Amino acid sequence: MENSKNIFNENPKSSLAKVLDIITTMASKPSGFIGLAILIFHVILAISSPWFAPYDYKAINPSLMLNAPSSEFWFGTDSLGRDVFTRTILGGRTALTITFFGSIIALLWGGLLGIFCGLVGGRIDDIVMRIVDAFLSIPWILAMLLIVSLLGTTTEVLIPALGFFYGKGIVRVARAATHDVIAKDFIVSAKARGHSNLSIIWNEILPNVRDAILVEGAMRWSWMLLGFSSLSFLGFGVSPPTPDWGLMISNARGLMSFAWWAVIAPIVGLSSLIIGINLTADAFAKALGIDRSTKAPV
Amino acid sequence: MKTNIQEIKDLSIGFKSQKGKQISILRNITTNIRKGETVGIVGESGSGKSTLALAMMGYIKHGLFTTRGECLFKSQNLLSLNNKELEEIRGRKIAMIPQNAGQALTPNLKIGYQIEEALRLHTDYSKTEREKKISELLNQVRLPSPKIMALRYPHELSGGQQQRVAVAMALAGNPELLLLDEPTTGLDVTTQAHVLELLKDIAKDTGTSMVYVSHDLGAIAQVCDRVIVMYAGEIVLEGPVRKILKEPIHPYTYGLLKSIPKLSLAGLPDSMPGSQPQPGNIGSGCSFYDRCNFSNDKCKVNVPKLEYISEMDTSVRCFNHSELISITSEQKSKNHLQKEITIDEILDLKDVSISYAKQGIIDQFLNKVTDTNPTVKDINININKGETIALVGESGSGKSTILKSIAGLLKTKDGYIKFDKEKLLSGDLKKRNSEDLRSIQLIFQNPDESLNPNHTVEQILSQPLKLYFGLTGSKLKSSIAELLEKVRLGAFYMSRYPRQLSGGEKQRIAVARAFAARPDIILCDEVTSALDVSVQAAVLDLLQKLKEELGTTYVFVSHDLAVVKAISDRVAVLYQGRLCEIGPSKNVYQFPSHPYTEVLIGAVLEPDPDIKPKLVAEDIVEEKPPEIGCSFQGRCPRIIGDKCRNETPPWQIGDNGNAIRCHIGIEELKIQQSQC
């Protein structure tokens, strides 16, 4: 019996233990801890805010127009006399939900198509990648505006549309990650045994590129959040009176010189969430051993 | 007694683990290098030999630190110098030759420029003197036409030539100590023998001290005066090369030498059980205790000291070394029964040609053949049931290419491969049926690459079982346990990941995966070359036992002629994708008829300082095979003129069963060979 006293006599960890392990590693560095803290704060806020919002977010009261922050209205009121604090804590809900599901769609189609292209190579890969390149060359905001103006701004339109446009980049990353493992002998071995492409993707490639794709997805989430807020800012995201940071900034920006509070609160909300996701994604990458500085996304 | 040029005193180097524990990689190393001598440092991977060599030039890898001791070069402690002071010493007084010269040379600078740079930094020569010196250095390392060579880029040189350039650069500063880290490991056998010859001559001519780090005892035997054997970060044996290799008085060295396959011995070498302990996992007693056949209770608790035995001029770290002295150095080896192979053809390669050239669209349309000189051409091999046939040759000989086309990973250009007498194997993997795919399995060179790092052993082994036999649940589990038993591993390995296994264990898993399909033929692609010697013997032994048990046929590809001799029944020698000689391995090794076989076998290095390699031909590397004539014409020492250049040589069959492809008659070749 060879080397029965191996130092690695640890029991294999359950997947839950592995996830906890990764989170502990992420939180052990200051940047990761801050990022995680901000992200968790935002998620909890988004889930629980309807229960403790002090006012009705759509209650218009002209007599309370543009009040400065006070003990009654912590963040002041906006041009229609609505409470800015209420609207700010509720303003992340739509954005978070839409972009979260959008990112999952982006990850799924982008990741799988990228892996498939990386695996089959040849002419199919060439054709698909040129199509992806063509889509990459279209400014996403123009394309989004077109889709939204044709199909409307409902959630059912926004989630797949955002998911599609942010998945293009993931195709490239997933394909590059696949190319790293495709030349390894365990893939050749699986091919020689006669496994189907699907089985090779699922069993051999996916476990090895999963980490890279997940990290990429986390980064895309923060970009998508910014993109979604931009759409709202332009008036193509959610429809009033739903509270949304992009929309709030858009509405209050003209009054910024004398009613700064109506702009500052949603800006802080949006930027802190994006920073939080970014820091978390970076810490996640480091905890998985992926160096984002050397493997820049395409 | 010569003066010491370098003294290492009680040196320990280690790192801090994640849990804050201090783990030693080198432990209490005390030795010295004398002026003008060549010292070999041998050990398996992880023994700390490279760390020691780097410490000798005052370099410690990032993350490691010196825990105690010093490394004195001319009574100056290198490990306490700052970078500026070290710059003065490195290159000028101590130079290093890296393992892979191809990666150590800057790819976009000309050879001459790189050597000039070394001269500029490490000497005080003027510009014109430097120009002259470049030619001198290139001459010294025996590179032809130095003037032209200096204008070339590294990629325009062969591996052996690149290594020579690295030697020239190291010699530029006229160093007193030369450190060589596995300088010939990546080279072909014939090239390796030539480079070693060169190093030996340089040591003799310049009087430079050399430290030669290698795992290859064959190379050590050729160049070194003194040998240091390392195990688990300690020196376990140190002494003159002859004493170490002929009368090894440490059980590890004894076992290591016995586990090396040799041309002079028939059959498989003895294997050594177990594997080297990991740093940080070394018990309280002797580090070799677990694997030692001579150990007693004393060894378990007490750490033996390095003891100097004056009559042998040898230091040894063992309590029981006197027992080993009494054992005769006579090596007995297990008898490998070369049983008669009954002619029962299982695989037939007929006129197989394989080309890597891709046809352009227009050529495809015009149905024009673009590649008239394919990588592999005219391969005719019949393989019988239950035999082990080995394909040997240097890199670029097409041996792996042939293997891939048998496995269906590469299409053949011409000819066919027939399986089990009537079934024609398609060149396209997708067109082969499941039964054919199951019958032929592959084992790869490097188990780190061939096992999915994210799968447990159970998942790895279940792949073929699920695919071919549709096993599930408890049936699957018991089959996996059975397979692990077959490769001498316990069922508790199931839940482990490849990274938790040693190199030998990983390769066993790869073997088990191939056998899981219950194949008729297993294709082995350099299966032992990524393994340590002691582990290699065990894997070869396993393959042999499995074959005897199950009657599997092996097609065994290797560049290591000693390994091939140990395991194969028949050998096919390839050069540039063309067959040179094929025959029963006993005969091919005993009477190599074809000039290339003669060159190849002559260049094998034996771990014995008294057996010198025979260097018959030049070590030129040819980029591609000649269009017409004999494939070996460029290097053949027995070339007879235009006939060899213009006509494809015919097959001749000798009375001992060897078939060769040569214009010279077999009898004539024998006479010529006996003359030199």
Side-chain angles (χ1 to χ4, degrees):
Chain A
M1 188 81 22
E2 193 170 318
N3 199 15
S4 52
K5 280 191 287 181
N6 202 302
I7 48 163
F8 303 105
N9 253 340
E10 69 201 49
N11 283 322
K13 286 176 179 160
S14 68
S15 32
L16 180 69
K18 273 188 211 155
V19 171
L20 285 177
D21 237 26
I22 290 170
I23 292 175
T24 325
T25 321
M26 282 163 72
S28 65
K29 292 252 168 62
S31 64
F33 183 79
I34 295 170
L36 263 178
I38 296 177
L39 182 60
I40 291 170
F41 170 76
H42 268 290
V43 170
I44 292 174
L45 189 69
I47 295 170
S48 62
S49 53
W51 283 279
F52 67 84
Y55 298 94
D56 183 1
Y57 68 86
K58 53 184 187 298
I60 298 171
N61 189 344
S63 63
L64 293 171
M65 220 167 74
L66 295 174
N67 276 7
S70 61
S71 60
E72 203 179 342
F73 302 107
W74 293 355
F75 292 177
T77 55
D78 67 6
S79 57
L80 298 173
R82 294 173 297 194
D83 179 34
V84 176
F85 177 71
T86 305
R87 291 180 64 79
T88 304
I89 58 172
L90 291 166
R93 287 167 56 88
T94 327
L96 261 176
T97 325
I98 288 185
T99 53
F100 179 74
F101 288 108
S103 305
I104 288 176
I105 289 182
L107 265 184
L108 281 178
W109 88 263
L112 287 178
L113 184 64
I115 294 172
F116 178 75
C117 284
L119 175 66
V120 296
R123 213 156 285 173
I124 298 175
D125 177 42
D126 274 346
I127 293 168
V128 174
M129 288 320 286
R130 290 304 79 77
I131 294 173
V132 170
D133 285 347
F135 271 107
L136 277 171
S137 68
I138 302 171
W140 69 271
I141 195 124
L142 276 183
M144 279 303 293
L145 289 180
L146 188 70
I147 292 175
V148 170
S149 36
L150 285 176
L151 302 171
T153 58
T154 51
T155 316
E156 302 84 73
V157 174
L158 281 173
I159 291 179
L162 282 169
F164 174 75
F165 278 98
Y166 282 83
K168 293 177 303 188
I170 297 180
V171 177
R172 288 203 150 262
V173 174
R175 181 171 168 267
T178 307
H179 278 174
D180 277 353
V181 292
I182 201 82
K184 296 261 172 80
D185 284 339
F186 62 84
I187 308 272
V188 182
S189 165
K191 277 189 190 164
R193 278 199 304 269
H195 285 281
S196 65
N197 276 346
L198 202 65
S199 152
I200 292 177
I201 289 178
W202 189 253
N203 287 316
E204 310 289 342
I205 301 177
L206 204 58
N208 289 294
V209 299
R210 186 187 52 209
D211 293 355
I213 295 178
L214 278 181
V215 169
E216 189 57 30
M219 292 309 284
R220 297 275 156 185
W221 186 17
S222 77
W223 297 353
M224 196 188 283
L225 201 76
L226 196 60
F228 174 74
S229 299
S230 307
L231 275 180
S232 295
F233 181 84
L234 295 173
F236 292 95
V238 294
S239 338
T242 317
D244 180 81
W245 293 329
L247 199 58
M248 285 165 76
I249 297 169
S250 167
N251 288 339
R253 88 196 137 116
L255 319 165
M256 199 151 52
S257 51
F258 57 93
W260 50 269
W261 53 86
V263 179
I264 278 294
I267 286 178
V268 170
L270 179 60
S271 47
S272 67
L273 178 55
I274 290 173
I275 291 170
I277 295 177
N278 260 316
L279 289 176
T280 309
D282 263 344
F284 183 49
K286 279 191 192 125
L288 293 171
I290 297 169
D291 192 353
R292 278 184 53 82
S293 60
T294 57
K295 265 195 194 152
V298 185
Chain B
M1 178 116 170
K2 286 178 180 168
T3 47
N4 288 336
I5 189 164
Q6 184 151 41
E7 288 175 40
I8 295 163
K9 287 186 180 158
D10 200 23
L11 181 68
S12 293
I13 291 178
F15 64 92
K16 268 215 166 71
S17 74
Q18 278 188 331
K19 287 172 190 142
K21 220 174 98 189
Q22 189 173 306
I23 290 168
S24 290
I25 287 184
L26 289 182
R27 296 180 294 149
N28 311 87
I29 303 285
T30 302
T31 187
N32 45 50
I33 311 295
R34 291 172 213 143
K35 210 170 162 40
E37 80 172 340
T38 302
V39 178
I41 303 180
V42 256
E44 292 177 289
S45 48
S47 61
K49 55 187 192 305
S50 288
T51 310
L52 177 59
L54 289 172
M56 283 182 175
M57 63 186 300
Y59 180 81
I60 290 178
K61 272 189 199 149
H62 183 74
L64 299 181
F65 52 88
T66 320
T67 46
R68 64 194 282 180
E70 48 192 10
C71 185
L72 302 173
F73 178 72
K74 298 187 153 179
S75 57
Q76 205 175 7
N77 186 7
L78 292 176
L79 300 174
S80 63
L81 297 181
N82 63 29
N83 279 344
K84 198 131 202 226
E85 291 164 319
L86 280 171
E87 268 173 35
E88 281 299 302
I89 293 177
R90 289 184 190 152
R92 281 173 189 248
K93 291 180 177 148
I94 306 177
M96 172 131 192
I97 297 173
Q99 172 167 7
N100 192 336
Q103 279 171 21
L105 297 171
T106 315
N108 57 351
L109 295 178
K110 286 175 183 156
I111 299 302
Y113 181 83
Q114 298 195 42
I115 298 176
E116 208 243 323
E117 190 180 31
L119 286 167
R120 203 171 61 229
L121 290 173
H122 303 313
T123 63
D124 309 318
Y125 290 125
S126 69
K127 196 166 171 17
T128 42
E129 280 173 320
R130 288 203 295 263
E131 300 266 301
K132 226 178 85 193
K133 189 78 186 161
I134 293 173
S135 292
E136 266 177 47
L137 282 168
L138 288 173
N139 244 334
Q140 199 180 356
V141 296
R142 292 182 212 148
L143 281 170
S145 42
K147 286 256 152 59
I148 303 166
M149 205 51 101
L151 295 175
R152 292 215 178 140
Y153 289 99
H155 71 265
E156 295 175 297
L157 308 180
S158 69
Q161 286 174 327
Q162 287 173 345
Q163 199 63 50
R164 279 159 203 258
V165 172
V167 174
M169 278 175 75
L171 291 174
N174 219 353
E176 294 169 55
L177 178 64
L178 205 53
L179 302 173
L180 304 108
D181 191 2
E182 305 255 8
T184 59
T185 304
L187 303 176
D188 277 326
V189 238
T190 49
T191 318
Q192 176 183 0
H194 278 94
V195 171
L196 287 177
E197 196 64 30
L198 169 76
L199 289 172
K200 219 157 78 179
D201 289 348
I202 286 170
K204 218 190 316 170
D205 296 345
T206 60
T208 314
S209 309
M210 288 192 188
V211 173
Y212 192 104
V213 180
S214 182
H215 70 281
D216 183 353
L217 285 164
I220 294 278
Q222 299 310 314
V223 285
C224 296
D225 307 314
R226 208 150 56 84
V227 179
I228 295 171
V229 183
M230 296 198 53
Y231 186 77
E234 284 179 319
I235 294 180
V236 291
L237 188 66
E238 178 179 350
V241 67
R242 249 186 201 82
K243 289 269 179 256
I244 302 285
L245 295 179
K246 298 218 153 168
E247 300 161 59
I249 53 168
H250 189 280
Y252 170 63
T253 320
Y254 178 76
L256 192 65
L257 277 161
K258 283 188 80 164
S259 64
I260 302 174
K262 298 170 199 71
L263 287 186
S264 46
L265 290 173
L268 288 172
D270 286 338
S271 58
M272 215 192 302
S275 61
Q276 190 171 238
Q278 303 275 349
N281 194 37
I282 295 156
S284 55
C286 174
S287 54
F288 190 60
Y289 173 76
D290 288 346
R291 302 172 73 187
C292 188
N293 293 331
F294 302 88
S295 60
N296 50 33
D297 291 345
K298 195 180 170 193
C299 309
K300 195 176 178 181
V301 211
N302 301 315
V303 179
K305 292 236 161 22
L306 204 58
E307 186 185 334
Y308 182 70
I309 299 155
S310 54
E311 62 260 38
M312 293 183 79
D313 188 24
T314 300
S315 302
V316 60
R317 194 186 286 275
C318 183
F319 293 120
N320 311 318
H321 59 80
S322 49
E323 277 179 46
L324 268 156
I325 297 178
S326 56
I327 293 180
T328 49
S329 56
E330 193 61 42
Q331 296 202 7
K332 266 184 269 163
S333 136
K334 273 172 270 174
N335 222 355
H336 164 41
L337 291 172
Q338 252 188 4
K339 61 170 192 261
E340 285 302 308
I341 300 294
T342 41
I343 307 282
D344 182 11
E345 197 176 87
I346 187 159
L347 200 64
D348 177 20
L349 277 72
K350 184 99 184 135
D351 296 327
V352 171
S353 295
I354 306 158
S355 170
Y356 281 102
K358 271 194 185 145
Q359 256 186 334
I361 287 179
I362 297 171
D363 290 330
Q364 237 169 32
F365 185 68
L366 296 172
N367 215 356
K368 204 164 88 181
V369 182
T370 40
D371 192 18
T372 51
N373 196 19
T375 318
V376 169
K377 199 178 165 188
D378 294 341
I379 302 296
N380 286 296
I381 304 174
N382 305 319
I383 298 164
N384 295 316
K385 219 169 230 166
E387 82 172 336
T388 302
I389 183 152
L391 308 178
V392 291
E394 292 168 297
S395 51
S397 62
K399 50 194 191 308
S400 292
T401 306
I402 296 173
L403 214 58
K404 275 187 197 149
S405 78
I406 299 176
L409 295 165
L410 266 180
K411 275 182 192 146
T412 52
K413 186 168 160 282
D414 293 310
Y416 61 82
I417 301 170
K418 229 186 220 173
F419 169 64
D420 216 5
K421 288 177 199 120
E422 69 246 357
K423 277 187 267 180
L424 215 53
L425 286 180
S426 163
D428 191 353
L429 203 61
K430 295 249 149 52
K431 286 186 194 139
R432 291 195 183 181
N433 63 33
S434 164
E435 189 56 26
D436 290 346
L437 288 169
R438 184 192 63 75
S439 311
I440 301 176
Q441 292 291 313
L442 263 163
I443 307 175
F444 295 85
Q445 172 172 10
N446 191 346
D448 287 327
E449 291 235 328
S450 69
L451 303 179
N452 191 334
N454 280 307
H455 280 178
T456 59
V457 168
E458 184 181 354
Q459 283 171 304
I460 290 168
L461 295 180
S462 66
Q463 300 286 354
L465 292 172
K466 277 191 207 160
L467 179 72
Y468 298 126
F469 309 112
L471 296 182
T472 45
S474 60
K475 256 196 179 146
L476 180 66
K477 215 149 191 146
S478 65
S479 292
I480 292 171
E482 213 175 282
L483 278 169
L484 285 170
E485 199 61 44
K486 234 181 224 167
V487 295
R488 290 25 169 201
L489 294 172
F492 58 92
Y493 277 87
M494 260 193 235
S495 58
R496 296 207 181 156
Y497 285 93
R499 61 173 179 276
Q500 297 168 327
L501 308 175
S502 72
E505 288 169 332
K506 273 183 257 185
Q507 197 61 301
R508 277 162 200 264
I509 299 296
V511 170
R513 181 175 62 185
F515 275 98
R518 286 177 228 149
D520 300 306
I521 300 170
I522 291 191
L523 311 171
C524 307
D525 191 358
E526 300 268 12
V527 285
T528 59
S529 56
L531 304 175
D532 277 319
V533 191
S534 67
V535 179
Q536 164 180 299
V539 170
L540 288 176
D541 192 50
L542 174 71
L543 286 173
Q544 186 64 32
K545 290 219 172 88
L546 286 172
K547 179 186 144 176
E548 279 160 19
E549 219 172 287
L550 306 163
T552 323
T553 309
Y554 289 139
V555 182
F556 197 92
V557 158
S558 181
H559 70 281
D560 189 330
L561 285 132
V563 167
V564 164
K565 177 164 196 258
I567 196 151
S568 68
D569 302 309
R570 237 165 17 116
V571 188
V573 183
L574 289 147
Y575 184 75
Q576 296 278 1
R578 278 82 175 137
L579 270 175
C580 291
E581 177 160 0
I582 183 164
S585 56
K586 206 168 57 191
N587 300 339
V588 171
Y589 280 87
Q590 212 168 3
F591 318 105
S593 312
H594 194 281
Y596 178 59
T597 319
E598 186 196 349
V599 168
L600 210 54
I601 291 175
V604 174
L605 303 171
E606 293 273 62
D608 184 336
D610 296 328
I611 304 176
K612 299 270 172 246
K614 282 178 253 154
L615 303 177
V616 207
E618 282 303 310
D619 61 328
I620 327 157
V621 171
E622 291 172 277
E623 296 276 302
K624 62 176 195 216
E627 292 258 351
I628 47 167
C630 172
S631 61
F632 191 52
Q633 54 176 284
R635 287 171 66 189
C636 186
R638 313 206 184 286
I639 190 160
I640 50 169
D642 284 346
K643 201 173 179 191
C644 295
R645 294 199 183 88
N646 298 328
E647 288 170 40
T648 309
W651 279 106
Q652 303 178 48
I653 295 169
D655 41 9
N656 50 18
N658 296 13
I660 68 163
R661 225 169 176 183
C662 189
H663 285 299
I664 312 170
I666 288 185
E667 291 308 313
E668 172 66 19
L669 280 167
K670 261 191 199 147
I671 295 164
Q672 284 190 16
Q673 278 175 26
S674 59
Q675 276 165 356
C676 62

